[in-house]
Amino acid sequence: MKHLKKGLLLLIVCVYCITLFITPAIASVKLNGTFVVEKSCEAFLSIKRKTNPGNVLVKRDETYEILAKNKEDATHYLIRINEVEPTTRWVAVDCGKIIDEPVVISNNDYLLALSWQPAFCETRPTKTECLTEDTNTFEASHFVLHGLWPQPPSNIYCGVSQDVIKLDKDSSKWLKMPPIQLSADTRNELTEKMPGVASGLHLHEWYKHGTCYSESPEEYYQESLALLDQVNESPVRDLFVENLGKELNAREIREPFVVAFGENAGNKIEVKCKKDKDGDRNNMITEVWINLEGEIEANTSITQLLENADKAQLGSCKGEIDPAPVNE
């Protein structure tokens, strides 16, 4: 009897150990959709151990394919980050939110992002559009279009298929996304005033942001370019051209906005900086972000859109107004 009890006890222990071995650490629940980051947070390989190879962070406004949640009452979501290894990582649920339906625009808030292309090309010198840059090109002396983004930042990919979203996540595949219909005039103008067309930036901006702005790429880009033109025809552009190779700070860049577009316009501007890739690692002004609010048409004055908009953060951005071409 004693041997029988020992045998039964041993059998119970073995079964328990086997159960532990075959039970997964996390019984995840499959999900579909897009995860939009609302605050910066770590991307873990293991939730329990908090391991994070490469110290990967996801940042606000970035979007990822969502694969699963760790349990029904989730604490973490499993997302795919194509640029890292391993590509699947866990992020806390309060890091952002899931979008599985087209977002409905409930207001007329927008962010107009304009780039200073010579500075951009110093940070990405191998991009197709940067290989042909010289002192005579449009972008050497004008702002260029990055994008017009309906707000809030989660207002993206309206009615866009998951197949297209997956392509959009990898900038090397932007030109593989479905082409968009533009008139010859608009396409020619966009090619000049958005140099990133050479790398498919126009497709990325349309599918991610434009689909939440309009049903027509033609309307989206005509109205975006009209806003760009108003800035390029103002003292803001003059300030940059007159200070090529010199430093400006955010306050100095806000001043010509006040002169051109009204006393409150300067408060609606955020200036972005990045470091040069060369040995000096100098800070450069790369973009100007402009808060806008109101109905936008091809002939809408940016002055009123700025007046209506929310204030932007001033920040401490200060940097060189980089001249073209790359490495000069």
Side-chain angles (χ1 to χ4, degrees):
M1 180 64 71
K2 185 182 294 185
H3 291 297
L4 180 61
K5 286 182 178 179
K6 285 184 178 180
L8 287 172
L9 181 60
L10 181 61
L11 178 62
I12 290 169
V13 170
C14 289
V15 169
Y16 178 72
C17 291
I18 291 170
T19 302
L20 283 179
F21 180 77
I22 65 174
T23 301
I26 297 176
S28 60
V29 180
K30 187 176 180 180
L31 292 176
N32 291 306
T34 300
F35 183 74
V36 181
V37 181
E38 295 182 317
K39 68 177 183 180
S40 181
C41 59
E42 284 196 82
F44 297 114
L45 187 60
S46 166
I47 299 173
K48 184 177 180 180
R49 296 173 181 161
K50 303 295 184 186
T51 51
N52 181 4
N55 297 316
V56 179
L57 290 176
V58 293
K59 298 180 181 179
R60 183 181 174 185
D61 300 344
E62 292 178 343
T63 58
Y64 301 94
E65 179 187 2
I66 190 164
L67 305 173
K69 56 183 178 180
N70 64 321
K71 56 185 177 179
E72 282 295 342
D73 185 16
T75 62
H76 290 77
Y77 293 133
L78 184 66
I79 63 173
R80 189 185 309 281
I81 308 175
N82 291 324
E83 300 81 12
V84 304
E85 289 291 342
T87 59
T88 54
R89 298 294 183 103
W90 293 97
V91 293
V93 295
D94 64 356
C95 181
K97 64 182 180 182
I98 302 171
I99 296 176
D100 52 13
E101 296 291 340
V103 178
V104 177
I105 299 172
S106 59
N107 53 42
N108 292 318
D109 291 338
Y110 304 97
L111 195 157
L112 177 66
L114 304 183
S115 296
W116 190 252
Q117 190 73 4
F120 168 79
C121 286
E122 290 294 345
T123 67
R124 304 290 296 276
T126 60
K127 294 285 285 186
T128 302
E129 59 268 31
C130 296
L131 299 176
T132 56
E133 182 187 76
D134 63 44
T135 56
N136 297 316
T137 53
F138 177 87
E139 64 266 25
S141 57
H142 296 80
F143 291 102
V144 298
L145 181 64
H146 181 171
L148 179 60
W149 306 335
Q151 299 297 292
S154 57
N155 224 346
I156 54 176
Y157 297 122
C158 291
V160 179
S161 72
Q162 283 298 315
D163 288 342
V164 173
I165 292 174
K166 286 179 182 179
L167 288 173
D168 189 56
K169 299 297 183 183
D170 183 349
S171 61
S172 70
K173 296 180 179 178
W174 283 352
L175 288 171
K176 295 182 179 179
M177 290 191 285
I180 57 177
Q181 296 298 313
L182 295 172
S183 67
D185 287 346
T186 299
R187 185 174 294 278
N188 290 338
E189 184 179 6
L190 190 63
T191 300
E192 178 182 52
K193 297 178 180 178
M194 179 189 263
V197 164
S199 297
L201 177 63
H202 62 308
L203 298 175
H204 162 72
E205 291 297 319
W206 164 250
Y207 286 111
K208 185 172 183 179
H209 302 286
T211 53
C212 298
Y213 178 91
S214 167
E215 294 181 359
S216 162
E218 180 79 9
E219 179 183 14
Y220 175 60
Y221 279 119
Q222 279 188 353
E223 293 172 4
S224 299
L225 290 168
L227 295 171
L228 168 70
D229 288 344
Q230 292 182 61
V231 177
N232 274 330
E233 292 165 3
S234 78
V236 181
R237 178 253 181 182
D238 296 339
L239 176 73
F240 273 60
V241 173
E242 291 165 4
N243 285 277
L244 291 175
K246 301 176 184 177
E247 280 194 345
L248 292 174
N249 60 42
R251 289 189 184 277
E252 291 170 320
I253 292 169
R254 282 182 164 190
E255 289 173 4
F257 276 94
V258 173
V259 173
F261 306 118
E263 61 180 352
N264 294 318
N267 295 330
K268 315 302 173 64
I269 309 304
E270 184 177 356
V271 179
K272 297 290 186 178
C273 293
K274 283 187 179 179
K275 289 189 178 296
D276 197 337
K277 280 185 174 289
D278 65 17
D280 294 334
R281 300 287 291 163
N282 292 330
N283 229 30
M284 302 177 299
I285 307 294
T286 54
E287 293 204 322
V288 176
W289 286 11
I290 305 170
N291 287 353
L292 305 174
E293 182 180 347
E295 293 286 345
I296 300 176
E297 296 180 355
N299 60 352
T300 301
S301 169
I302 198 172
T303 300
Q304 191 59 51
L305 298 172
L306 281 161
E307 179 65 30
N308 297 339
D310 292 335
K311 290 183 178 179
Q313 294 182 347
L314 174 61
S316 57
C317 183
K318 178 181 179 180
E320 180 187 5
I321 308 302
D322 195 71
V326 174
N327 293 327
E328 274 205 2

